[in-house]
Amino acid sequence: HLAFRTLFCQSKLLRNPAVVWIVFHGCFDLTYLLSMTSVYPELPADLESFTKAQRAFFVHVMDVKELAMGAFRFHGGLE
């Protein structure tokens, strides 16, 4: 994971407003990626600080599950 962290942090994916992160219920995935940065070896303790940090690194996130729940009254998982 150290090699991944190095490559990930050196990539132009983080803090890039041109990148749209498309996830399906991706809160755990984005949390893991946020923890991989050397800036946050320990995640922020409160929700407001965590949300601010997540939005700083992942500028645009589209969660397909949240979109589907709102538009189509979708319930369930990928199955």
Side-chain angles (χ1 to χ4, degrees):
H1 78 279
L2 294 175
F4 175 77
R5 174 194 295 200
T6 302
L7 292 172
F8 184 61
C9 290
Q10 290 174 351
S11 75
K12 302 214 185 284
L13 296 172
L14 295 173
R15 299 179 186 255
N16 186 341
V19 173
V20 178
W21 294 84
I22 300 174
V23 298
F24 185 91
H25 195 68
C27 56
F28 294 110
D29 300 323
L30 295 176
T31 301
Y32 176 76
L33 291 174
L34 185 62
S35 72
M36 290 296 292
T37 67
S38 58
V39 177
Y40 291 102
E42 292 186 23
L43 295 172
D46 61 281
L47 181 60
E48 183 178 344
S49 299
F50 174 77
T51 302
K52 188 175 179 180
Q54 184 177 348
R55 288 187 180 152
F57 279 88
F58 308 103
V59 180
H60 298 292
V61 177
M62 296 187 76
D63 193 317
V64 176
K65 184 173 183 177
E66 288 184 26
L67 292 172
M69 287 175 66
F72 305 110
R73 300 186 195 276
F74 170 79
H75 297 284
L78 289 173
E79 67 274 342

